[in-house]
Amino acid sequence: MPKDVPPRWDRRMQQRLARGEAAALGELYDRFASLVHSLAHRVLGDEKAADRITREVFGYIWENPDAYDPKQGSMRSWVARITQGQAVARLRQAELGRGSREELEQKVRSANAAARADYIVTSMPAPLRAALELAYFKRRDYRQAAADLQISEDEARRRLRLGLQLLSTANALPQEDAAQPGYGPREYGTPR
């Protein structure tokens, strides 16, 4: 299945979930369970906690299908936002009382940035991701990446620059007013 989910699919999926179609939840789970689990694991660093978050996220979606608004973005983004919010809330609970408040906030910021970076990389178009992977994992410069990808050097530079620009947004703090109704509290993006 393609990673880029068409908006029409998003709307149909929401309608099916709202009608209570268990098959729709199964299809949604098949498509996004690995994303949910990997984001939760990235934040929490714990397999069992990531499993619990995965169950909670899909439980929330099943109980609140109308919380998704296709006008606010893709279902994939919505599912990722719920996951990140739940995982960060769980991290805060687990770390409460361990160290200072500043240390806790630093852990939360680091976990958030890492989860956002993972999501950005898995969501970016394949040509950008391929160029970044060559540069990062194989230490290729833009000329070598161009040769490996059989594209012009200008195109390789463009892909690398755009990929890095997207990735640089992972460290940006979410805007206070960015959360929309049904997308969780403004502070962490957790389900209501």
Side-chain angles (χ1 to χ4, degrees):
M1 288 188 169
K3 286 196 182 237
D4 298 326
V5 181
R8 185 175 28 169
W9 184 91
D10 292 353
R11 287 190 299 276
R12 269 197 314 244
M13 178 56 68
Q14 185 208 18
Q15 291 165 352
R16 291 175 62 202
L17 289 168
R19 287 192 303 263
E21 287 184 32
L25 183 64
E27 187 178 329
L28 190 75
Y29 183 87
D30 290 345
R31 184 166 281 192
F32 296 129
S34 63
L35 168 71
V36 170
H37 191 273
S38 66
L39 286 175
H41 191 274
R42 182 73 160 152
V43 171
L44 298 168
D46 179 349
E47 192 72 26
K48 288 183 181 180
D51 290 343
R52 280 192 302 274
I53 293 293
T54 302
R55 285 191 302 273
E56 290 172 9
V57 166
F58 286 98
Y60 174 81
I61 291 169
W62 178 248
E63 293 172 4
N64 302 284
D66 292 330
Y68 170 66
D69 181 0
K71 295 174 192 162
Q72 301 301 324
S74 71
M75 186 164 282
R76 179 184 176 88
S77 294
W78 180 62
V79 169
R81 222 170 308 152
I82 293 169
T83 303
Q84 188 173 348
Q86 287 289 87
V88 167
R90 182 70 47 84
L91 179 64
R92 286 180 183 280
Q93 281 179 326
E95 295 293 323
L96 203 58
R98 296 182 192 171
S100 69
R101 179 156 175 78
E102 292 79 27
E103 290 171 335
L104 172 61
E105 291 306 315
Q106 181 56 41
K107 280 185 179 181
V108 168
R109 278 192 298 277
S110 295
N112 262 330
R116 280 194 301 273
D118 282 353
Y119 178 73
I120 289 168
V121 169
T122 60
S123 298
M124 70 177 45
L128 298 181
R129 188 172 50 253
L132 282 179
E133 287 172 350
L134 284 171
Y136 185 76
F137 293 116
K138 296 190 177 183
R139 302 285 190 219
R140 303 278 201 263
D141 65 19
Y142 75 93
R143 288 184 179 108
Q144 294 166 324
D148 288 353
L149 296 171
Q150 298 177 351
I151 58 175
S152 71
E153 289 180 3
D154 286 341
E155 179 62 14
R157 265 196 310 261
R158 186 191 71 75
R159 289 180 186 182
L160 286 168
R161 183 176 55 247
L162 185 54
L164 289 171
Q165 285 172 341
L166 287 171
L167 203 49
S168 72
T169 65
N171 285 322
L173 294 173
Q175 294 177 351
E176 195 64 26
D177 295 325
Q180 300 297 324
Y183 284 76
R186 292 175 188 185
E187 196 171 22
Y188 308 117
T190 56
R192 294 177 197 231

